[in-house]
């Protein structure tokens, strides 16, 4: 292509007017030049690419038809047109162009936005070459212009698609993180190197404390040398700036999807997105994004405090409560929101999102349809919960668990009938942990399956020892089974194996299952129950009375024992005071009647009854009068080592009730 060639004398003939060329030299040279000129003219005129010669006065000397067509004009009319009528003057390329004109560079490639005559923009790649005269002095420039509008629009389109959710058209997770990271930016001091999500920070050099301020704003003589000056710097850097995040999740969205179909679910999401965007997106300051599924986020880039965020969350919840018209029906949804608000310097994008996620989870756990503001204390607790959960399995392998036993005492004669096995975690750092601290975590993580299996074996082994030492006592062991053990593992096989391994007769094993675990996820009683009962094992319903089951229904299942929850017995605590009919007395009286009726009904249905949480003699006595069979509680004995049970068995009775 001619323009690529910078040999000037070959191109001078191109220009018709201002150049006094070819005034000397042999005819053959003139001929050659003329031939060259006509070749170039033809190429110039017919080129598919836009071309223009531009003089040093920034006016067009000549433009070809392709260039003229690109901007909706006629080539002849472009002669003497100032280039600023066609392009936007921009600083940097202009500076480079002037360098080119001065001969300091020979070529320049820029992307330029040209003005079409009808007003719209034409994106172009422009290559500008300097044309020099015979003596090497700059004369004018040749611009070759390629229309890249379509590529550019396509690129924009792709960029848009990469950053937006196709269903709701809201900014997606990628854009959300891009904006969030930009807030923290390379100016983030200490965090910049720590935040794994801050993409820019990863490649950035060690952050210079002066960078966030920019040159000129900080007197360099005031630049601190020691790290102890940093806090002041962060203030200078305007890093009192705050950020807020509302992390939104619709309640029960999965059910809508399942019952009404995905198309209804999708339409609902679109409607929710529209409401959120309309209500809360504001220019650069706020971003409403869809983070996935039915999760949305409102990012407040310039928060002025947690109150702003919590009232935003409240407003948001209220806004979503209004019914939605979707697919010809009215749908009512609620949302749970986790709110985090803090100073930017005190956090990282990762922590912000992690805490928002935890807070959203609290909203769900506390009953949904609400917002919850992040609470660092609760968060710290969460941390240890998480640590404990991951430590469970290794702890089991290291043998950090033990089982304590608490006697189950016959109320009629005060003898020990059996003992409940209660697991403990002897944690090397936190001391002895009660099961309430880690059993729920073990259930969540699935670690309950190996842990429960271990407890089962350990307890059976212990009961077998009691049997060997006291062959006539027939002391049984009562082991708690978690719902997940029954639903998710082959509990029947595990129990059979434990009995076989330890040699304990099945009749000396009782399994405690809560009401909710007896009925599986589908609301039907779990099959394992019958299989276990058929093996000759006794099944007890633990914490009875805290659920909703129907006693008559339970009695039709292979269940043998009801363990009344401790809360029933609480009212039994004080002896009825001297016949004085105060409210306390009346309540005690009512509790006694309820328990009495329950015991009678259970007996009529063929169940035996155990009461939990007996703490004093009067409770024990009152309970005995109701006809309750066995009892368990601190009054008789606290949970303790297996040897305590043996000692009581040796004595014959724990305490006369
Ligand atoms: P649970 O099965 O209802 O066990 C009775 C709980 O009441 C035990 O708490 C026991 O120490 C406590 N307790 C006994 N007597 C009294 C009393 O007089 N007053 C009061 N206030 N409490 C009394 P612990 O040992 O902390 O166990 C709590 C729960 O942890 C158990 O409740 C049981 O649901 C669960 N658990 C314990 N060990 C295991 C296990 O090996 N596997 C499973 N899945 N759960 C277990
Ligand atoms: Mg129990
Ligand atoms: Mg219980």
């Amino acid at each position: 292509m001619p323009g690529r060639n910078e040999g000037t004398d070959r191109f001078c003939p191109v220009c018709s007017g201002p150049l006094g060329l070819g005034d000397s030299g042999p005819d053959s040279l003139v001929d050659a030049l003329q031939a060259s000129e006509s070749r170039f003219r033809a190429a110039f005129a017919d080129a598919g690419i836009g071309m223009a010669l531009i003089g040093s006065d920034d006016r067009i000397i000549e433009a070809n038809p392709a260039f003229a067509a690109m901007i909706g004009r006629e080539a002849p009319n472009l002669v003497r047109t100032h280039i600023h009528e066609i392009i936007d003057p921009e600083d940097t390329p202009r500076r480079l162009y002037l360098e080119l004109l001065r001969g300091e560079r020979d070529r320049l490639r820029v992307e330029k936005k040209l003005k079409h005559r009808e007003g719209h923009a034409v994106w172009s790649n422009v290559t500008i070459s300097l044309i020099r005269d015979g003596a090497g002095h700059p004369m004018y420039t040749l611009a070759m212009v390629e229309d890249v509008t379509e590529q550019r629009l396509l690129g924009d389109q792709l960029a848009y698609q990469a950053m937006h959710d196709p269903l709701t058209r809201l900014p997606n997770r990628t854009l959300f993180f891009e904006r969030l990271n930009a807030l923290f930016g390379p100016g983030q001091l200490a965090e910049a190197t720590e935040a794994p999500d801050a993409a820019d920070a990863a490649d950035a050099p060690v952050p210079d404390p002066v960078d966030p301020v920019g040159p000129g704003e900080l007197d360099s003589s005031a630049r601190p040398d020691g790290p102890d000056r940093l806090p002041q710097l962060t203030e200078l850097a305007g890093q009192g700036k705050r950020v807020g995040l509302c992390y939104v999740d619709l309640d029960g969205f999965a059910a809508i999807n399942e019952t009404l179909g995905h198309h209804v679910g999708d339409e609902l999401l679109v409607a929710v997105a529209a409401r959120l965007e309309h209500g809360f997106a504001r220019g650069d300051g706020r971003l409403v994004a869809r983070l996935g599924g039915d999760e949305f986020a409102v990012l407040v880039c310039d928060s002025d405090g947690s109150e702003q965020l919590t009232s935003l969350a409240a407003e948001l919840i209220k806004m979503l409560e209004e019914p939605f018209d979707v697919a010809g029906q009215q749908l009512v949804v609620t949302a749970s929101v986790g709110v985090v608000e803090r100073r930017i310097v005190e956090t990282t994008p990762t922590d912000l999102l992690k805490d928002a996620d935890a807070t959203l989870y609290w909203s769900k756990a506390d009953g949904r349809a609400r917002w919850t503001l992040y609470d660092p204390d609760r968060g710290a607790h969460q941390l240890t919960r998480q640590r404990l959960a991951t430590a469970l399995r290794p702890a089991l392998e290291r043998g950090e668990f033990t089982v304590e036993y608490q006697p189950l005492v016959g109320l009629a004669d005060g003898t020990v009938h059996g003992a409940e096995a209660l697991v403990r975690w002897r944690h090397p750092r936190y001391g002895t942990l009660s099961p309430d601290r880690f059993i729920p975590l073990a259930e969540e993580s699935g670690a309950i399956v190996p842990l429960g299996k271990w407890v089962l074996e350990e307890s059976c082994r212990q009961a077998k020892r009691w049997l060997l030492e006291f062959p006539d006592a027939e002391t049984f062991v009562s082991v708690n089974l978690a719902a997940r053990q029954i639903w998710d593992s082959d509990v029947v096989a595990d129990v059979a194996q434990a009995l076989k391994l330890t040699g304990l007769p099945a009749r000396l094993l009782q399994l405690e299952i809560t009401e909710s675990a007896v009925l599986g996820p589908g609301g039907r009683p779990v099959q394992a129950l019958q299989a276990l009962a058929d093996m000759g094992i006794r099944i007890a319903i633990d914490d009875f009375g805290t659920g909703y089951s129907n006693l008559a229904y339970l009695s039709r299942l292979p269940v043998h024992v009801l363990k009344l929850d401790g809360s029933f017995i609480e009212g039994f605590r004080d002896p009825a005071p001297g016949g004085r009919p105060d409210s306390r007395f009346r309540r005690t009286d009512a509790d006694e009647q309820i328990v009495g009726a329950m015991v009678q009904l259970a007996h009529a249905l063929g169940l035996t009854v155990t009461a939990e949480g007996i703490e004093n003699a009067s409770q024990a006595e009152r309970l005995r009068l109701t006809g309750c069979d066995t009892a368990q509680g601190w009054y008789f004995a606290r949970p303790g080592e297996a040897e305590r049970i043996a000692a009581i068995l040796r004595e014959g009775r724990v305490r006369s009730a």
Side-chain angles (χ1 to χ4, degrees):
M1 224 190 273
R4 288 272 158 95
N5 196 324
E6 280 147 36
T8 51
D9 41 6
R10 282 180 54 198
F11 292 104
C12 295
V14 174
C15 182
S16 23
L19 292 180
L21 257 186
D23 49 347
S24 64
D27 282 355
S28 60
L29 178 59
V30 174
D31 289 348
L33 284 173
Q34 274 169 352
S36 174
E37 178 187 350
S38 49
R39 273 203 305 277
F40 181 74
R41 283 226 148 268
F44 187 82
D46 300 340
I49 197 165
M51 292 191 193
L53 291 167
I54 301 161
S56 54
D57 57 356
D58 283 352
R59 289 187 185 275
I60 291 175
I61 298 165
E62 191 166 357
N64 73 351
F67 179 74
M70 213 180 277
I71 53 174
R73 296 176 185 240
E74 303 289 335
N77 297 343
L78 281 173
V79 175
R80 306 278 322 141
T81 301
H82 197 280
I83 53 169
H84 286 174
E85 287 176 38
I86 300 169
I87 58 165
D88 277 332
E90 287 163 46
D91 286 335
T92 320
R94 179 69 188 160
R95 180 172 56 76
L96 297 178
Y97 184 70
L98 292 177
E99 282 174 21
L100 182 85
L101 271 187
R102 287 197 298 268
E104 290 161 23
R105 55 170 65 231
D106 282 319
R107 197 178 295 138
L108 181 62
R109 256 187 92 92
V110 283
E111 186 166 76
K112 275 279 177 198
K113 198 163 72 174
L114 307 179
K115 294 181 210 164
H116 194 275
R117 195 169 59 177
E118 285 162 10
H120 60 263
V122 177
W123 282 99
S124 61
N125 275 340
V126 185
T127 307
I128 309 171
S129 306
L130 178 67
I131 311 291
R132 297 169 190 264
D133 65 15
H137 298 123
M139 288 194 307
Y140 49 88
T141 61
L142 172 67
M144 287 188 295
V145 188
E146 188 189 1
D147 186 344
V148 292
T149 309
E150 266 182 33
Q151 284 110 295
R152 181 136 179 152
L153 289 181
L154 186 67
D156 286 353
Q157 181 73 21
L158 291 176
Y160 181 89
Q161 279 170 9
M163 295 288 184
H164 290 79
D165 163 44
L167 178 67
T168 64
R169 305 201 147 267
L170 282 185
N172 65 8
R173 222 182 155 80
T174 311
L175 181 52
F176 173 82
F177 276 105
E178 193 161 278
R179 283 288 282 282
L180 186 61
N181 284 327
L183 274 186
F184 287 78
Q188 251 312 74
L189 295 178
E191 268 78 15
T193 44
E194 283 168 24
D197 281 0
D200 336 351
D203 300 323
V206 178
D208 180 341
V210 182
D211 275 348
V213 194
E217 284 180 56
L218 243 194
D219 176 1
S220 63
S221 67
R223 188 170 171 169
D225 296 320
D228 43 347
R229 287 293 313 277
L230 272 178
Q232 200 192 340
L233 251 188
T234 58
E235 283 157 30
L236 275 171
Q239 295 193 357
K241 277 197 164 174
R242 308 183 68 91
V243 60
L245 177 62
C246 285
Y247 196 173
V248 186
D249 187 288
L250 302 183
D251 300 324
F253 179 73
I256 291 178
N257 249 347
E258 269 162 34
T259 55
L260 302 176
H262 286 267
H263 63 287
V264 177
D266 282 357
E267 271 193 49
L268 178 65
L269 288 176
V270 171
V272 166
R275 238 182 238 186
L276 289 179
E277 183 161 48
H278 181 253
F280 301 104
R282 303 249 191 302
D284 277 352
R286 295 214 208 143
L287 180 78
V288 175
R290 180 180 179 208
L291 299 187
D294 58 341
E295 286 174 22
F296 298 89
V298 181
L299 179 68
V300 179
C301 304
D302 49 0
S303 152
D304 55 22
S306 54
E307 269 171 34
Q308 184 196 2
L309 265 288
T310 54
S311 57
L312 190 152
E315 201 185 320
L316 190 154
I317 286 173
K318 208 162 150 238
M319 190 179 272
L320 292 183
E321 270 170 5
E322 290 290 314
F324 286 91
D325 281 317
V326 166
Q329 45 194 325
Q330 284 221 325
L331 287 185
V332 179
V333 285
T334 59
S336 301
V337 184
V339 184
V340 182
E341 200 281 339
R342 54 182 63 151
R343 293 205 317 149
I344 286 176
V345 274
E346 285 165 355
T347 192
T348 63
T350 322
D351 280 349
L352 195 74
L353 216 73
K354 183 168 67 66
D355 292 343
D357 186 64
T359 314
L360 172 62
Y361 178 77
W362 301 340
S363 280
K364 294 269 183 197
D366 292 349
R368 306 165 152 208
R370 71 195 57 220
W371 56 263
T372 309
L373 181 63
Y374 183 72
D375 168 0
D377 289 342
R378 200 169 170 183
H381 177 68
Q382 197 83 10
L383 197 71
T384 52
R385 269 174 56 94
Q386 209 173 14
R387 281 218 193 113
L388 287 182
T390 50
L392 271 163
R393 281 172 198 261
L396 183 61
E397 274 155 33
R398 284 195 301 268
E400 288 175 14
F401 292 93
T402 57
V403 181
E404 290 191 340
Y405 300 89
Q406 187 177 33
L408 293 152
V409 180
L411 281 169
D413 58 3
T415 59
V416 169
H417 292 190
E420 179 173 5
L422 295 160
V423 68
R424 308 284 180 250
W425 185 355
R426 307 249 183 258
H427 195 285
R429 265 189 57 202
Y430 303 126
T432 299
L433 300 179
S434 80
D436 290 332
R437 294 273 318 264
F438 61 85
I439 291 288
L441 300 179
E443 283 223 56
E444 269 170 42
S445 69
I448 191 67
V449 173
L451 176 61
K453 203 173 156 190
W454 177 82
V455 172
L456 189 70
E457 251 177 59
E458 181 66 22
S459 306
C460 290
R461 191 169 294 118
Q462 186 51 56
K464 172 72 180 190
R465 286 192 202 116
W466 291 327
L467 177 65
L468 291 176
E469 195 177 345
F470 311 97
D472 301 327
E474 287 280 307
T475 312
F476 66 87
V477 71
S478 192
V479 179
N480 292 282
L481 281 192
R484 190 143 177 192
Q485 272 175 282
I486 307 169
W487 299 347
D488 289 1
S489 73
D490 194 352
V491 71
V492 179
D494 289 350
V495 168
Q497 193 196 4
L499 292 177
K500 195 165 161 231
L501 217 72
T502 60
L504 182 74
R507 65 173 194 282
L508 294 184
L509 177 61
Q510 172 172 296
L511 295 174
E512 299 191 11
I513 303 169
T514 60
E515 291 168 63
S516 50
V518 163
L519 301 178
R524 282 187 303 277
V526 285
Q527 287 188 336
L529 224 55
Q530 189 63 55
L532 291 168
D534 290 347
M535 287 163 69
I537 289 157
R538 230 169 336 165
I539 308 288
I541 301 297
D542 202 357
D543 305 335
F544 180 78
T546 55
Y548 301 98
S549 3
N550 168 322
L551 192 52
Y553 173 70
L554 273 181
S555 73
R556 285 202 293 275
L557 303 178
V559 166
H560 310 90
V561 181
L562 288 189
K563 289 192 79 177
L564 290 188
D565 189 68
S567 55
F568 281 104
I569 318 305
E570 263 170 33
F572 281 36
R573 191 170 296 138
D574 302 313
R580 202 146 43 96
D582 64 3
S583 58
R584 183 68 200 236
F585 173 73
R586 280 199 302 277
R587 201 195 128 209
T588 305
D589 209 27
D591 285 343
E592 221 167 285
Q593 285 177 15
I594 291 170
V595 173
M598 218 141 54
V599 171
Q600 276 183 31
L601 185 57
H603 283 168
L605 295 168
L607 301 167
T608 55
V609 183
T610 300
E612 291 184 276
I614 311 304
E615 295 183 352
N616 59 46
S618 114
Q619 282 173 324
E621 174 56 13
R622 286 160 162 252
L623 198 61
R624 194 180 62 81
L625 294 174
T626 65
C628 186
D629 306 285
T630 44
Q632 172 185 7
W634 298 343
Y635 170 66
F636 303 108
R638 296 212 173 214
E641 288 183 14
E643 179 47 37
R644 285 275 327 271
I645 303 290
I648 296 169
L649 287 171
R650 242 169 255 129
E651 272 177 38
R653 54 170 49 203
V654 57
R655 197 168 209 157
S656 53

